[in-house]
């Protein structure tokens, strides 16, 4: 099945340079008989977003393909920004996406070992305590075109460095007064190699280690060594770490420990979407959204609440693969995979979002019928259900026009349409309120069209959905649109913030939608296709007396068009 359509293609055949490299390392036994070991290393300073899903699918998916294992490791070296709430949400999200880790690890579990290794580097003359301020260190660092300058403290004796570092650890010095630096090369063309900071003093309470430490390792010193401790063979990360790779290798070589290797791939960028925990946190804190799981957020908990499925996200991630250059992916592509998945699996239902009453004048008073309809025409196994019909139904306001514009084929006076699965009806007259708004449409039906089939071969141009007024359940429906108005939400005038690109119409609440009665038993997160309207799922704000549905996506798929235009 290689028709170029990723949904039907085995994901393992989609080219991906990471897969090729791992296959090569396995073939050449680069790590002997050790199995492929990867890790997913989030910092618990926010909720996971769709960009993380890409990394998760690569870390877990590739290890799994090669019979290897993946650890979930919290990169918790910044006590000031990290919280248990984030640790919990990250675990829930990884599992929801469909992955289970081998070991659950924390960089903070390695603080003791990292400290021992720092002492080892000091003793080898490879690290020193620097008393320069952060500003001075920056000034000494030089630029891309100028070499850096040695710190006056660079040539301290091993004894003095050991003494100062132990005292840093013991809490004798205030925050920011000293740092431990690797002693590498202040003239290196790579700025990361100009005596990078290894440890800083921070009298902060850590979410796991409490007040046990007042010095904390920097990312570069912690990450590679943590990989090495876990015997990670392939440490995949995003391209912005490419310039850090020499430092990653330097620490491992100096310490002579397990040679984990870092491999960089492209970060996921999506149009109309911000994927930065810092900015997402700002949206939450400033209440531009209702929380990390607001259905407009690109967080996994947000798109989950919106109705997205882990299956579709995984298919999307497989289709985008991984490359060595950054680019931007159309949000429509993600939506396309989601629609495709929901089209195959979501149960159909009739729901009228903006109701207009349709009265069938010649339908026998008090009569009630049950019509059998398919739960999902794409999936016969989904079975059938019964929908009650009476002489008074709700239809969408948009499905009636008193004065139809050209090419309007839905209901209008004198025109006949099909009520899905029920009868042909012809509009006859309208009832208006004092302000001239149409409040009721009156029509007649053709009893011979029972079940919605044509009695004599005559054709109707439209089939519209309906809900019996006597049986309808009222619900709130939340219609979501893009959170940002610009394809690149970060594109702003000087002095403006990305907030100026927020879409003021990203949420519309419909308070009086009318649903077919079978939806009364919907469960939170259960997904439906409301016929002719879109995909929806039940929100957890629902109560026994009031259902709340979120619109996942409208039906229209613009990706197919984009793909066609691109010649795909
Ligand atoms: P952010 O900038 O959103 O805070 P981050 O890279 O700081 O993201 P981490 O918690 O450090 O977030 O990320 C954990 C892993 O997920 C890292 O390996 C990182 O490279 C990867 N990752 C983060 N964002 C993306 C993205 N947009 N696309 C692909 N991988 C990503
Ligand atoms: Mg980070």
């Amino acid at each position: 099945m290689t028709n170029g359509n990723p949904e039907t293609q085995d994901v393992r055949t989609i080219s991906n340079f990471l897969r090729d490299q791992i296959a090569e390392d396995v073939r050449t036994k680069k790590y002997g008989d050790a199995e492929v070991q990867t890790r997913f290393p989030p910092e618990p300073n926010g909720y996971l977003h769709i960009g993380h899903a890409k990394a998760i699918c690569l870390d877990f998916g590739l290890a799994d393909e090669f019979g290897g294992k993946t650890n979930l490791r919290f990169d918790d070296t910044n006590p000031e920004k990290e919280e248990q709430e984030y640790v919990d949400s990250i675990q829930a999200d990884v599992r929801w996406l469909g992955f289970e880790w081998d070991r659950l690890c924390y960089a903070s579990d390695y603080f003791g070992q990292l400290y021992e290794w720092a002492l080892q580097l000091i003793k080898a003359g490879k690290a020193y305590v620097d008393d320069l301020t952060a500003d001075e260190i920056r000034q000494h660092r030089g630029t891309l075109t100028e070499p850096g300058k040695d710190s006056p403290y660079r040539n301290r004796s091993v004894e003095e460095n050991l003494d100062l570092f132990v005292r840093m650890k013991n809490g004798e010095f205030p925050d920011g007064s000293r740092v431990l630096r690797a002693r590498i090369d202040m003239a290196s063309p790579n700025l990361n190699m100009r005596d990078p900071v290894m440890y800083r003093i921070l009298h902060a309470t850590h979410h796991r280690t409490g007040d046990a430490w007042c010095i904390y390792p920097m990312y570069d010193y912690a990450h590679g060594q943590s990989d090495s401790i876990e015997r990670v063979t392939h440490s995949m990360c995003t391209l912005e770490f490419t310039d850090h790779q020499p430092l990653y290798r330097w620490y491992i070589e100096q310490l002579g420990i397990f040679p984990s290797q870092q491999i960089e791939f492209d970060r996921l960028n999506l149009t109309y979407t911000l994927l930065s925990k810092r900015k997402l946190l700002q949206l939450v804190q400033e209440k531009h959204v209702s929380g990390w799981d607001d259905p407009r957020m690109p967080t996994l908990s947000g798109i989950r609440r919106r109705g997205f499925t882990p299956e579709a996200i995984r298919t999307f991630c497989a289709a985008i693969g991984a490359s060595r250059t950054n680019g931007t992916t159309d949000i429509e592509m993600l939506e396309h995979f989601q629609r495709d998945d929901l089209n195959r699996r979501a149960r159909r239902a009739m729901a009228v979002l903006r109701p207009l009453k349709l009265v069938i004048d010649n339908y026998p008073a008090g009569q009630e019928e049950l019509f059998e309809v398919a739960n999902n025409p794409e999936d016969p196994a989904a079975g059938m259900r019964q929908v009650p019909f009476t002489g008074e139904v709700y239809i969408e306001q948009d499905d009636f026009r008193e004065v139809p514009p050209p090419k309007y084929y839905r209901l209008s006076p004198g025109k006949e349409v099909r009520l899905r699965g029920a009868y042909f009806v012809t509009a006859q007259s309208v009832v208006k309120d004092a302000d001239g708004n149409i409040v009721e449409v009156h029509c007649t039906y053709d009893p011979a069209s029972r079940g919605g089939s044509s009695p004599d071969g005559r054709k109707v141009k439209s089939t519209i959905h309906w809900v019996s007024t006597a049986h309808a359940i009222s619900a709130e429906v939340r219609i979501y649109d893009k959170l940002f108005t610009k394809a690149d939400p970060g594109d702003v005038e000087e002095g403006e913030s990305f907030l100026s690109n927020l879409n003021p119409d990203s949420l519309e609440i419909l308070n009086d939608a009318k649903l077919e009665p079978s939806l009364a038993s919907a469960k939170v997160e259960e997904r439906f296709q409301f016929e002719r309207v879109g995909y929806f799922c039940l929100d957890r704000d629902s109560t026994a007396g009031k259902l709340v549905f979120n619109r996942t996506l409208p039906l229209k798929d613009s990706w197919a068009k984009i793909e066609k235009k691109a010649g795909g």
Side-chain angles (χ1 to χ4, degrees):
M1 281 209 284
T2 47
N3 59 0
N5 183 352
E7 301 140 42
T8 53
Q9 211 176 329
D10 182 342
V11 297
R12 294 170 195 218
T13 65
I14 298 173
S15 88
N16 167 338
F17 79 96
L18 294 167
R19 174 180 294 117
D20 298 344
Q21 174 161 349
I22 297 174
E24 179 66 6
D25 291 346
V26 169
R27 194 183 63 77
T28 60
K29 290 192 179 281
K30 180 165 183 170
Y31 289 96
D33 289 323
E35 59 187 15
V36 170
Q37 175 73 55
T38 64
R39 88 288 170 260
F40 171 63
E43 183 179 354
N45 62 348
Y47 280 58
L48 297 182
H49 52 60
I50 180 79
H52 293 111
K54 169 174 173 166
I56 293 170
C57 288
L58 290 169
D59 292 328
F60 283 86
L62 289 173
D64 189 52
E65 278 181 42
F66 290 93
K69 293 190 171 127
T70 306
N71 295 340
L72 173 59
R73 183 202 314 143
F74 288 102
D75 190 1
D76 55 349
T77 55
N78 271 324
E80 288 168 311
K81 291 187 176 160
E82 297 161 1
E83 289 174 27
Q84 187 62 35
E85 175 194 348
Y86 300 139
V87 169
D88 296 339
S89 74
I90 288 169
Q91 294 185 50
D93 287 345
V94 171
R95 287 201 165 115
W96 177 74
L97 204 53
F99 297 101
E100 190 57 55
W101 47 90
D102 181 37
R103 280 179 287 158
L104 181 63
C105 308
Y106 295 83
S108 56
D109 285 346
Y110 311 138
F111 283 171
Q113 175 69 78
L114 293 170
Y115 175 75
E116 293 300 322
W117 278 336
L119 293 174
Q120 190 180 322
L121 290 176
I122 293 172
K123 287 177 193 155
K126 300 286 183 184
Y128 62 97
V129 172
D130 196 346
D131 300 357
L132 292 184
T133 64
D135 265 349
E136 288 166 333
I137 289 180
R138 215 169 296 127
Q139 285 156 16
H140 278 70
R141 182 156 290 143
T143 64
L144 282 172
T145 50
E146 282 168 56
K149 284 194 306 254
D150 285 2
S151 161
Y153 304 100
R154 194 172 197 262
N155 293 318
R156 275 179 161 149
S157 68
V158 166
E159 290 67 35
E160 190 181 1
N161 281 320
L162 280 176
D163 172 64
L164 286 170
F165 186 54
V166 170
R167 288 166 60 197
M168 274 170 66
K169 175 194 177 250
N170 290 343
E172 288 186 31
F173 310 121
D175 289 2
S177 58
R178 291 189 160 88
V179 291
L180 183 72
R181 297 177 72 175
R183 196 165 185 276
I184 308 179
D185 177 7
M186 287 307 291
S188 171
N190 182 338
L191 271 75
N192 293 298
M193 300 296 275
R194 293 185 187 171
D195 292 10
V197 173
M198 294 168 60
Y199 273 93
R200 62 210 193 283
I201 302 174
L202 208 57
H203 292 264
T205 303
H206 186 278
H207 69 102
R208 288 189 80 240
T209 58
D211 296 322
W213 295 87
C214 63
I215 56 169
Y216 289 94
M218 302 299 287
Y219 169 88
D220 283 315
Y221 180 64
H223 201 89
Q225 280 58 260
S226 301
D227 284 344
S228 185
I229 290 169
E230 294 172 22
R231 303 184 87 76
V232 167
T233 55
H234 298 84
S235 176
M236 292 171 268
C237 64
T238 35
L239 282 168
E240 68 271 22
F241 291 102
T242 307
D243 288 347
H244 296 241
Q245 177 162 166
L247 182 55
Y248 180 102
R249 288 206 306 263
W250 188 87
Y251 286 127
I252 285 179
E253 277 160 22
Q254 297 305 317
L255 294 168
I257 55 180
F258 183 84
S260 298
Q261 61 178 327
Q262 173 179 309
I263 320 171
E264 307 87 10
F265 63 88
D266 60 319
R267 231 181 144 78
L268 173 67
N269 296 303
L270 274 181
T271 55
Y272 297 98
T273 309
L274 272 180
L275 298 179
S276 147
K277 277 183 283 188
R278 189 173 56 77
K279 289 179 180 160
L280 297 179
L281 176 64
Q282 190 180 343
L283 290 174
V284 173
Q285 284 179 336
E286 296 177 6
K287 301 202 186 315
H288 300 290
V289 293
S290 64
W292 284 99
D293 67 350
D294 184 300
R296 292 166 293 184
M297 290 280 272
T299 51
L300 293 183
S301 55
I303 61 179
R304 169 183 184 172
R305 191 168 169 194
R306 174 88 168 247
F308 278 64
T309 61
E311 290 83 355
I313 296 168
R314 293 198 306 260
T315 309
F316 166 73
C317 288
I320 56 176
S323 85
R324 302 236 37 160
T325 42
N326 278 322
T328 300
T329 301
D330 273 307
I331 184 85
E332 284 86 358
M333 183 176 174
L334 171 63
E335 295 175 349
H336 162 76
F337 284 112
Q338 188 53 70
R339 282 194 185 88
D340 187 69
D341 181 40
L342 289 172
N343 182 45
R344 272 185 277 121
R345 299 193 297 153
R347 208 260 261 170
R348 271 49 170 178
M350 288 201 282
V352 173
L353 300 194
R354 295 171 183 86
L356 172 63
K357 207 182 265 181
L358 180 70
V359 182
I360 307 169
D361 291 332
N362 60 336
Y363 193 81
Q367 179 169 303
E368 189 177 317
E369 294 178 78
L370 284 173
F371 286 112
E372 280 266 288
V373 293
N375 280 330
N376 185 351
E378 304 284 321
D379 175 16
M384 309 286 286
R385 72 182 185 288
Q386 295 192 315
V387 187
F389 184 84
T390 56
E392 203 181 274
V393 298
Y394 291 115
I395 61 171
E396 296 285 351
Q397 289 169 14
D398 263 357
D399 284 338
F400 178 80
R401 283 287 173 275
E402 188 177 18
V403 181
K407 296 198 178 144
Y408 184 86
Y409 298 124
R410 289 168 275 170
L411 201 58
S412 59
K415 289 276 157 36
E416 188 173 48
V417 299
R418 175 189 292 108
L419 294 181
R420 166 156 293 172
Y423 288 108
F424 283 16
V425 292
T426 305
Q428 304 295 351
S429 60
V430 298
V431 176
K432 296 185 181 177
D433 64 14
D435 301 325
N437 302 308
I438 299 172
V439 290
E440 243 173 50
V441 175
H442 284 252
C443 68
T444 52
Y445 83 119
D446 178 355
S449 62
R450 190 171 195 282
S453 57
S454 179
D456 52 7
R458 77 179 188 271
K459 294 218 160 52
V460 287
K461 285 217 167 94
S462 281
T463 299
I464 65 177
H465 59 279
W466 51 271
V467 173
S468 162
T469 58
H471 300 86
I473 22 180
S474 295
E476 174 179 321
V477 172
R478 299 174 180 169
I479 305 288
Y480 296 103
D481 200 352
K482 296 185 167 73
L483 189 52
F484 293 99
T485 53
K486 272 199 186 159
D488 175 4
D491 175 24
V492 287
E493 300 286 315
E494 207 170 307
E496 297 236 357
S497 100
F498 68 96
L499 297 171
S500 61
N501 289 330
L502 274 174
N503 175 8
D505 302 317
S506 59
L507 170 59
E508 181 188 3
I509 296 179
L510 302 175
N511 274 312
D512 194 29
K514 303 293 185 186
L515 317 179
E516 67 166 70
S518 72
L519 287 169
S521 60
K523 299 194 176 52
V524 172
E525 281 188 16
E526 195 179 352
R527 306 170 185 98
F528 299 89
Q529 184 194 93
F530 289 175
E531 296 199 48
R532 297 180 64 235
V533 181
Y535 295 102
F536 292 79
C537 75
L538 190 72
D539 191 79
R540 60 168 163 71
D541 284 349
S542 298
T543 57
K546 185 179 174 206
L547 298 183
V548 177
F549 280 91
N550 296 321
R551 185 177 75 180
T552 311
L553 291 168
L555 285 182
K556 190 166 156 277
D557 189 341
S558 45
W559 173 247
K561 235 193 297 169
I562 294 172
E563 223 179 12
K564 216 182 216 162
K565 232 192 304 175

